[in-house]
Amino acid sequence: MTLFSIFKKKEFFTADEKQRIVESIEKAEKQTSGEIRVFVESRCRFVDPLDRATEIFSILKMTETAERNAVLVYIAMKDRQLALYGDKGIHEKEGDIFWNEKVKTILSHFGKQNYADGLIRIVTELGDTLRFHFPYDGDTDKNELPNDIVFGR
């Protein structure tokens, strides 16, 4: 045991949970031209997690999708905060009520400590909504953003 082992960063998800979350993103995106990203960090630097989600959305260059139909799932685990941020194309089609209902869905899972299952469920639901408004076209669709989970500090 080394002295620095006590400072090892805690993993939020097991390897299996990470794989299942990424697979849910891949499955959802195979049905739509939309893009879904998941960003997880310990603490939110802002009072309002939506402000942080907006910043992360920009940092991850999620505004660069052709149809402006990317969605970010933002989570600050230790602060117990989350936000969903949809780009202009999808937000114009769904509006604030939709996003607020999806936040309630994910919170119901998180309240039971089912973080991975909650993420998988919300990714699936977001994928269904994106598919409705932005269906997959095998001739023109390309994966515009990575499907991995992004971990902040």
Side-chain angles (χ1 to χ4, degrees):
M1 182 167 136
T2 66
L3 176 63
F4 296 104
S5 66
I6 62 169
F7 299 111
K8 184 177 179 188
K9 185 176 179 181
K10 181 187 180 302
E11 293 290 329
F12 297 119
F13 304 106
T14 66
D16 178 62
E17 289 172 330
K18 288 178 193 175
Q19 181 180 346
R20 289 179 31 230
I21 294 165
V22 171
E23 286 172 355
S24 72
I25 295 168
E26 292 169 347
K27 182 178 178 183
E29 288 186 4
K30 285 182 180 172
Q31 303 174 57
T32 177
S33 64
E35 298 288 333
I36 301 170
R37 302 281 328 254
V38 174
F39 186 93
V40 180
E41 62 185 349
S42 293
R43 302 230 178 254
C44 181
R45 294 185 357 205
F46 301 127
V47 172
D48 184 346
L50 189 55
D51 291 339
R52 178 68 171 146
T54 303
E55 178 184 56
I56 296 298
F57 197 89
S58 177
I59 290 169
L60 296 177
K61 300 182 183 198
M62 293 181 68
T63 58
E64 295 179 13
T65 60
E67 297 186 71
R68 302 290 303 266
N69 57 359
V71 177
L72 175 67
V73 180
Y74 168 78
I75 303 164
M77 296 293 279
K78 288 184 180 178
D79 288 338
R80 302 178 56 87
Q81 292 182 311
L82 67 98
L84 299 175
Y85 186 88
D87 203 354
K88 181 180 178 179
I90 186 63
H91 184 74
E92 287 176 350
K93 299 203 183 283
E94 288 296 336
D96 292 335
I97 293 172
F98 169 81
W99 301 108
N100 291 335
E101 287 301 316
K102 295 303 168 196
V103 166
K104 288 178 188 174
T105 298
I106 198 169
L107 285 174
S108 71
H109 285 275
F110 283 14
K112 299 172 191 165
Q113 308 295 308
N114 295 334
Y115 301 110
D117 291 339
L119 276 172
I120 291 166
R121 168 104 185 253
I122 202 66
V123 165
T124 301
E125 290 182 13
L126 291 170
D128 291 343
T129 301
L130 286 165
R131 179 185 66 213
F132 178 77
H133 295 293
F134 303 96
Y136 176 80
D137 181 343
D139 294 331
T140 61
D141 190 64
K142 66 178 186 171
N143 191 16
E144 297 176 274
L145 299 171
N147 297 332
D148 59 332
I149 303 168
V150 181
F151 290 95
R153 295 191 270 168

PDB file of all heavy atoms in Angstrom, residues 12 39-46 49 52 73-83 110 153:
ATOM      1  N   PHE A  12     -17.526   6.443  -9.745  1.00  0.00           N
ATOM      2  CA  PHE A  12     -18.961   6.579  -9.555  1.00  0.00           C
ATOM      3  C   PHE A  12     -19.720   5.351 -10.039  1.00  0.00           C
ATOM      4  O   PHE A  12     -20.804   5.060  -9.563  1.00  0.00           O
ATOM      5  CB  PHE A  12     -19.480   7.816 -10.274  1.00  0.00           C
ATOM      6  CG  PHE A  12     -18.912   9.097  -9.734  1.00  0.00           C
ATOM      7  CD1 PHE A  12     -18.165   9.930 -10.543  1.00  0.00           C
ATOM      8  CD2 PHE A  12     -19.123   9.461  -8.414  1.00  0.00           C
ATOM      9  CE1 PHE A  12     -17.650  11.109 -10.043  1.00  0.00           C
ATOM     10  CE2 PHE A  12     -18.611  10.643  -7.902  1.00  0.00           C
ATOM     11  CZ  PHE A  12     -17.865  11.468  -8.724  1.00  0.00           C
ATOM     12  N   PHE A  39     -22.119  13.640 -18.907  1.00  0.00           N
ATOM     13  CA  PHE A  39     -20.978  14.251 -18.217  1.00  0.00           C
ATOM     14  C   PHE A  39     -21.209  14.120 -16.719  1.00  0.00           C
ATOM     15  O   PHE A  39     -22.241  14.556 -16.202  1.00  0.00           O
ATOM     16  CB  PHE A  39     -20.841  15.727 -18.595  1.00  0.00           C
ATOM     17  CG  PHE A  39     -19.613  16.382 -18.028  1.00  0.00           C
ATOM     18  CD1 PHE A  39     -18.437  16.431 -18.761  1.00  0.00           C
ATOM     19  CD2 PHE A  39     -19.629  16.936 -16.758  1.00  0.00           C
ATOM     20  CE1 PHE A  39     -17.293  17.019 -18.231  1.00  0.00           C
ATOM     21  CE2 PHE A  39     -18.498  17.533 -16.219  1.00  0.00           C
ATOM     22  CZ  PHE A  39     -17.322  17.570 -16.965  1.00  0.00           C
ATOM     23  N   VAL A  40     -20.230  13.523 -16.023  1.00  0.00           N
ATOM     24  CA  VAL A  40     -20.345  13.287 -14.585  1.00  0.00           C
ATOM     25  C   VAL A  40     -19.132  13.893 -13.886  1.00  0.00           C
ATOM     26  O   VAL A  40     -17.996  13.675 -14.314  1.00  0.00           O
ATOM     27  CB  VAL A  40     -20.402  11.767 -14.288  1.00  0.00           C
ATOM     28  CG1 VAL A  40     -20.515  11.519 -12.791  1.00  0.00           C
ATOM     29  CG2 VAL A  40     -21.540  11.102 -15.048  1.00  0.00           C
ATOM     30  N   GLU A  41     -19.400  14.637 -12.815  1.00  0.00           N
ATOM     31  CA  GLU A  41     -18.317  15.162 -11.991  1.00  0.00           C
ATOM     32  C   GLU A  41     -18.754  15.126 -10.529  1.00  0.00           C
ATOM     33  O   GLU A  41     -19.917  14.868 -10.228  1.00  0.00           O
ATOM     34  CB  GLU A  41     -17.912  16.567 -12.418  1.00  0.00           C
ATOM     35  CG  GLU A  41     -18.977  17.625 -12.296  1.00  0.00           C
ATOM     36  CD  GLU A  41     -18.524  18.968 -12.863  1.00  0.00           C
ATOM     37  OE1 GLU A  41     -17.333  19.151 -13.170  1.00  0.00           O
ATOM     38  OE2 GLU A  41     -19.389  19.852 -12.989  1.00  0.00           O
ATOM     39  N   SER A  42     -17.814  15.371  -9.645  1.00  0.00           N
ATOM     40  CA  SER A  42     -18.115  15.335  -8.207  1.00  0.00           C
ATOM     41  C   SER A  42     -18.953  16.526  -7.780  1.00  0.00           C
ATOM     42  O   SER A  42     -19.993  16.384  -7.156  1.00  0.00           O
ATOM     43  CB  SER A  42     -16.831  15.322  -7.387  1.00  0.00           C
ATOM     44  OG  SER A  42     -16.128  14.147  -7.581  1.00  0.00           O
ATOM     45  N   ARG A  43     -18.463  17.712  -8.110  1.00  0.00           N
ATOM     46  CA  ARG A  43     -19.090  18.938  -7.618  1.00  0.00           C
ATOM     47  C   ARG A  43     -19.410  19.891  -8.768  1.00  0.00           C
ATOM     48  O   ARG A  43     -18.659  19.992  -9.728  1.00  0.00           O
ATOM     49  CB  ARG A  43     -18.156  19.639  -6.648  1.00  0.00           C
ATOM     50  CG  ARG A  43     -17.779  18.778  -5.468  1.00  0.00           C
ATOM     51  CD  ARG A  43     -17.981  19.535  -4.179  1.00  0.00           C
ATOM     52  NE  ARG A  43     -17.671  18.708  -3.034  1.00  0.00           N
ATOM     53  CZ  ARG A  43     -18.596  18.203  -2.238  1.00  0.00           C
ATOM     54  NH1 ARG A  43     -19.851  18.425  -2.473  1.00  0.00           N
ATOM     55  NH2 ARG A  43     -18.254  17.474  -1.197  1.00  0.00           N
ATOM     56  N   CYS A  44     -20.513  20.593  -8.611  1.00  0.00           N
ATOM     57  CA  CYS A  44     -20.919  21.602  -9.584  1.00  0.00           C
ATOM     58  C   CYS A  44     -20.288  22.930  -9.191  1.00  0.00           C
ATOM     59  O   CYS A  44     -20.424  23.371  -8.052  1.00  0.00           O
ATOM     60  CB  CYS A  44     -22.441  21.722  -9.590  1.00  0.00           C
ATOM     61  SG  CYS A  44     -23.065  22.922 -10.776  1.00  0.00           S
ATOM     62  N   ARG A  45     -19.621  23.557 -10.141  1.00  0.00           N
ATOM     63  CA  ARG A  45     -18.944  24.826  -9.856  1.00  0.00           C
ATOM     64  C   ARG A  45     -19.905  26.007  -9.754  1.00  0.00           C
ATOM     65  O   ARG A  45     -19.520  27.088  -9.332  1.00  0.00           O
ATOM     66  CB  ARG A  45     -17.923  25.118 -10.946  1.00  0.00           C
ATOM     67  CG  ARG A  45     -16.803  24.139 -10.975  1.00  0.00           C
ATOM     68  CD  ARG A  45     -15.731  24.490 -11.978  1.00  0.00           C
ATOM     69  NE  ARG A  45     -16.036  25.662 -12.766  1.00  0.00           N
ATOM     70  CZ  ARG A  45     -15.541  25.907 -13.961  1.00  0.00           C
ATOM     71  NH1 ARG A  45     -14.715  25.064 -14.508  1.00  0.00           N
ATOM     72  NH2 ARG A  45     -15.848  26.996 -14.611  1.00  0.00           N
ATOM     73  N   PHE A  46     -21.145  25.820 -10.169  1.00  0.00           N
ATOM     74  CA  PHE A  46     -22.126  26.900 -10.150  1.00  0.00           C
ATOM     75  C   PHE A  46     -23.264  26.565  -9.202  1.00  0.00           C
ATOM     76  O   PHE A  46     -23.479  25.416  -8.848  1.00  0.00           O
ATOM     77  CB  PHE A  46     -22.700  27.133 -11.552  1.00  0.00           C
ATOM     78  CG  PHE A  46     -21.667  27.476 -12.588  1.00  0.00           C
ATOM     79  CD1 PHE A  46     -21.582  26.760 -13.766  1.00  0.00           C
ATOM     80  CD2 PHE A  46     -20.773  28.510 -12.389  1.00  0.00           C
ATOM     81  CE1 PHE A  46     -20.641  27.082 -14.724  1.00  0.00           C
ATOM     82  CE2 PHE A  46     -19.828  28.836 -13.339  1.00  0.00           C
ATOM     83  CZ  PHE A  46     -19.758  28.116 -14.516  1.00  0.00           C
ATOM     84  N   PRO A  49     -27.127  24.019 -11.657  1.00  0.00           N
ATOM     85  CA  PRO A  49     -26.487  23.015 -12.498  1.00  0.00           C
ATOM     86  C   PRO A  49     -26.758  23.216 -13.994  1.00  0.00           C
ATOM     87  O   PRO A  49     -25.963  22.795 -14.826  1.00  0.00           O
ATOM     88  CB  PRO A  49     -27.061  21.686 -12.003  1.00  0.00           C
ATOM     89  CG  PRO A  49     -28.320  22.039 -11.310  1.00  0.00           C
ATOM     90  CD  PRO A  49     -28.121  23.421 -10.765  1.00  0.00           C
ATOM     91  N   ARG A  52     -23.929  25.164 -15.383  1.00  0.00           N
ATOM     92  CA  ARG A  52     -22.750  24.313 -15.604  1.00  0.00           C
ATOM     93  C   ARG A  52     -22.968  23.429 -16.831  1.00  0.00           C
ATOM     94  O   ARG A  52     -22.053  23.242 -17.633  1.00  0.00           O
ATOM     95  CB  ARG A  52     -22.478  23.461 -14.356  1.00  0.00           C
ATOM     96  CG  ARG A  52     -21.315  22.512 -14.491  1.00  0.00           C
ATOM     97  CD  ARG A  52     -19.980  23.217 -14.571  1.00  0.00           C
ATOM     98  NE  ARG A  52     -18.903  22.235 -14.481  1.00  0.00           N
ATOM     99  CZ  ARG A  52     -17.754  22.323 -15.112  1.00  0.00           C
ATOM    100  NH1 ARG A  52     -17.473  23.392 -15.841  1.00  0.00           N
ATOM    101  NH2 ARG A  52     -16.851  21.387 -14.996  1.00  0.00           N
ATOM    102  N   VAL A  73     -26.614  15.127 -20.648  1.00  0.00           N
ATOM    103  CA  VAL A  73     -27.059  14.746 -19.317  1.00  0.00           C
ATOM    104  C   VAL A  73     -25.901  15.106 -18.393  1.00  0.00           C
ATOM    105  O   VAL A  73     -24.821  14.521 -18.485  1.00  0.00           O
ATOM    106  CB  VAL A  73     -27.379  13.241 -19.228  1.00  0.00           C
ATOM    107  CG1 VAL A  73     -27.836  12.872 -17.822  1.00  0.00           C
ATOM    108  CG2 VAL A  73     -28.412  12.834 -20.271  1.00  0.00           C
ATOM    109  N   TYR A  74     -26.121  16.083 -17.522  1.00  0.00           N
ATOM    110  CA  TYR A  74     -25.075  16.566 -16.612  1.00  0.00           C
ATOM    111  C   TYR A  74     -25.397  16.131 -15.189  1.00  0.00           C
ATOM    112  O   TYR A  74     -26.527  16.322 -14.713  1.00  0.00           O
ATOM    113  CB  TYR A  74     -24.980  18.094 -16.659  1.00  0.00           C
ATOM    114  CG  TYR A  74     -24.122  18.636 -15.543  1.00  0.00           C
ATOM    115  CD1 TYR A  74     -22.734  18.575 -15.624  1.00  0.00           C
ATOM    116  CD2 TYR A  74     -24.690  19.147 -14.382  1.00  0.00           C
ATOM    117  CE1 TYR A  74     -21.942  19.026 -14.578  1.00  0.00           C
ATOM    118  CE2 TYR A  74     -23.906  19.607 -13.336  1.00  0.00           C
ATOM    119  CZ  TYR A  74     -22.532  19.534 -13.441  1.00  0.00           C
ATOM    120  OH  TYR A  74     -21.756  19.969 -12.403  1.00  0.00           O
ATOM    121  N   ILE A  75     -24.390  15.569 -14.493  1.00  0.00           N
ATOM    122  CA  ILE A  75     -24.581  15.122 -13.116  1.00  0.00           C
ATOM    123  C   ILE A  75     -23.388  15.531 -12.264  1.00  0.00           C
ATOM    124  O   ILE A  75     -22.237  15.292 -12.645  1.00  0.00           O
ATOM    125  CB  ILE A  75     -24.732  13.595 -13.049  1.00  0.00           C
ATOM    126  CG1 ILE A  75     -25.889  13.146 -13.927  1.00  0.00           C
ATOM    127  CG2 ILE A  75     -24.932  13.130 -11.607  1.00  0.00           C
ATOM    128  CD1 ILE A  75     -25.887  11.687 -14.231  1.00  0.00           C
ATOM    129  N   ALA A  76     -23.660  16.143 -11.114  1.00  0.00           N
ATOM    130  CA  ALA A  76     -22.650  16.418 -10.087  1.00  0.00           C
ATOM    131  C   ALA A  76     -23.003  15.511  -8.910  1.00  0.00           C
ATOM    132  O   ALA A  76     -23.924  15.797  -8.149  1.00  0.00           O
ATOM    133  CB  ALA A  76     -22.659  17.884  -9.685  1.00  0.00           C
ATOM    134  N   MET A  77     -22.288  14.394  -8.792  1.00  0.00           N
ATOM    135  CA  MET A  77     -22.659  13.329  -7.861  1.00  0.00           C
ATOM    136  C   MET A  77     -22.655  13.772  -6.395  1.00  0.00           C
ATOM    137  O   MET A  77     -23.637  13.574  -5.694  1.00  0.00           O
ATOM    138  CB  MET A  77     -21.733  12.121  -8.039  1.00  0.00           C
ATOM    139  CG  MET A  77     -21.849  11.472  -9.409  1.00  0.00           C
ATOM    140  SD  MET A  77     -23.435  10.685  -9.701  1.00  0.00           S
ATOM    141  CE  MET A  77     -23.192   9.141  -8.863  1.00  0.00           C
ATOM    142  N   LYS A  78     -21.573  14.343  -5.917  1.00  0.00           N
ATOM    143  CA  LYS A  78     -21.489  14.703  -4.497  1.00  0.00           C
ATOM    144  C   LYS A  78     -22.434  15.841  -4.135  1.00  0.00           C
ATOM    145  O   LYS A  78     -22.935  15.908  -3.019  1.00  0.00           O
ATOM    146  CB  LYS A  78     -20.055  15.062  -4.114  1.00  0.00           C
ATOM    147  CG  LYS A  78     -19.152  13.846  -4.073  1.00  0.00           C
ATOM    148  CD  LYS A  78     -17.766  14.204  -3.600  1.00  0.00           C
ATOM    149  CE  LYS A  78     -16.889  12.962  -3.559  1.00  0.00           C
ATOM    150  NZ  LYS A  78     -15.525  13.276  -3.145  1.00  0.00           N
ATOM    151  N   ASP A  79     -22.677  16.729  -5.078  1.00  0.00           N
ATOM    152  CA  ASP A  79     -23.608  17.832  -4.837  1.00  0.00           C
ATOM    153  C   ASP A  79     -25.061  17.425  -5.065  1.00  0.00           C
ATOM    154  O   ASP A  79     -25.972  18.196  -4.785  1.00  0.00           O
ATOM    155  CB  ASP A  79     -23.272  19.023  -5.740  1.00  0.00           C
ATOM    156  CG  ASP A  79     -22.008  19.729  -5.320  1.00  0.00           C
ATOM    157  OD1 ASP A  79     -21.612  19.593  -4.147  1.00  0.00           O
ATOM    158  OD2 ASP A  79     -21.410  20.417  -6.167  1.00  0.00           O
ATOM    159  N   ARG A  80     -25.245  16.226  -5.614  1.00  0.00           N
ATOM    160  CA  ARG A  80     -26.582  15.695  -5.887  1.00  0.00           C
ATOM    161  C   ARG A  80     -27.375  16.667  -6.769  1.00  0.00           C
ATOM    162  O   ARG A  80     -28.507  17.035  -6.479  1.00  0.00           O
ATOM    163  CB  ARG A  80     -27.308  15.379  -4.587  1.00  0.00           C
ATOM    164  CG  ARG A  80     -26.535  14.378  -3.718  1.00  0.00           C
ATOM    165  CD  ARG A  80     -27.191  14.083  -2.407  1.00  0.00           C
ATOM    166  NE  ARG A  80     -28.549  13.601  -2.512  1.00  0.00           N
ATOM    167  CZ  ARG A  80     -28.919  12.330  -2.678  1.00  0.00           C
ATOM    168  NH1 ARG A  80     -28.010  11.398  -2.768  1.00  0.00           N
ATOM    169  NH2 ARG A  80     -30.181  12.007  -2.754  1.00  0.00           N
ATOM    170  N   GLN A  81     -26.715  17.109  -7.843  1.00  0.00           N
ATOM    171  CA  GLN A  81     -27.348  18.011  -8.793  1.00  0.00           C
ATOM    172  C   GLN A  81     -27.297  17.389 -10.185  1.00  0.00           C
ATOM    173  O   GLN A  81     -26.370  16.643 -10.507  1.00  0.00           O
ATOM    174  CB  GLN A  81     -26.625  19.356  -8.830  1.00  0.00           C
ATOM    175  CG  GLN A  81     -26.781  20.162  -7.563  1.00  0.00           C
ATOM    176  CD  GLN A  81     -26.090  21.499  -7.678  1.00  0.00           C
ATOM    177  OE1 GLN A  81     -24.947  21.590  -8.067  1.00  0.00           O
ATOM    178  NE2 GLN A  81     -26.803  22.550  -7.325  1.00  0.00           N
ATOM    179  N   LEU A  82     -28.268  17.748 -10.995  1.00  0.00           N
ATOM    180  CA  LEU A  82     -28.257  17.295 -12.371  1.00  0.00           C
ATOM    181  C   LEU A  82     -29.012  18.278 -13.228  1.00  0.00           C
ATOM    182  O   LEU A  82     -29.807  19.083 -12.746  1.00  0.00           O
ATOM    183  CB  LEU A  82     -28.837  15.887 -12.506  1.00  0.00           C
ATOM    184  CG  LEU A  82     -30.318  15.707 -12.214  1.00  0.00           C
ATOM    185  CD1 LEU A  82     -31.116  15.715 -13.499  1.00  0.00           C
ATOM    186  CD2 LEU A  82     -30.522  14.395 -11.491  1.00  0.00           C
ATOM    187  N   ALA A  83     -28.740  18.186 -14.519  1.00  0.00           N
ATOM    188  CA  ALA A  83     -29.444  19.018 -15.489  1.00  0.00           C
ATOM    189  C   ALA A  83     -29.446  18.301 -16.826  1.00  0.00           C
ATOM    190  O   ALA A  83     -28.533  17.530 -17.130  1.00  0.00           O
ATOM    191  CB  ALA A  83     -28.770  20.385 -15.626  1.00  0.00           C
ATOM    192  N   PHE A 110     -32.395   8.157  -8.988  1.00  0.00           N
ATOM    193  CA  PHE A 110     -31.277   8.579  -8.160  1.00  0.00           C
ATOM    194  C   PHE A 110     -31.650   8.562  -6.680  1.00  0.00           C
ATOM    195  O   PHE A 110     -30.823   8.269  -5.831  1.00  0.00           O
ATOM    196  CB  PHE A 110     -30.794   9.965  -8.557  1.00  0.00           C
ATOM    197  CG  PHE A 110     -29.963   9.980  -9.810  1.00  0.00           C
ATOM    198  CD1 PHE A 110     -29.910   8.896 -10.672  1.00  0.00           C
ATOM    199  CD2 PHE A 110     -29.226  11.094 -10.144  1.00  0.00           C
ATOM    200  CE1 PHE A 110     -29.143   8.917 -11.820  1.00  0.00           C
ATOM    201  CE2 PHE A 110     -28.446  11.136 -11.292  1.00  0.00           C
ATOM    202  CZ  PHE A 110     -28.415  10.040 -12.129  1.00  0.00           C
ATOM    203  N   ARG A 153     -13.913  16.568 -12.768  1.00  0.00           N
ATOM    204  CA  ARG A 153     -13.242  16.401 -11.467  1.00  0.00           C
ATOM    205  C   ARG A 153     -14.201  16.059 -10.366  1.00  0.00           C
ATOM    206  O   ARG A 153     -15.321  16.244 -10.383  1.00  0.00           O
ATOM    207  CB  ARG A 153     -12.493  17.668 -11.095  1.00  0.00           C
ATOM    208  CG  ARG A 153     -11.364  17.918 -12.059  1.00  0.00           C
ATOM    209  CD  ARG A 153     -10.473  18.994 -11.568  1.00  0.00           C
ATOM    210  NE  ARG A 153     -10.949  20.283 -12.076  1.00  0.00           N
ATOM    211  CZ  ARG A 153     -10.511  21.427 -11.634  1.00  0.00           C
ATOM    212  NH1 ARG A 153      -9.646  21.493 -10.696  1.00  0.00           N
ATOM    213  NH2 ARG A 153     -10.944  22.546 -12.139  1.00  0.00           N
TER     214      ARG A 153
END
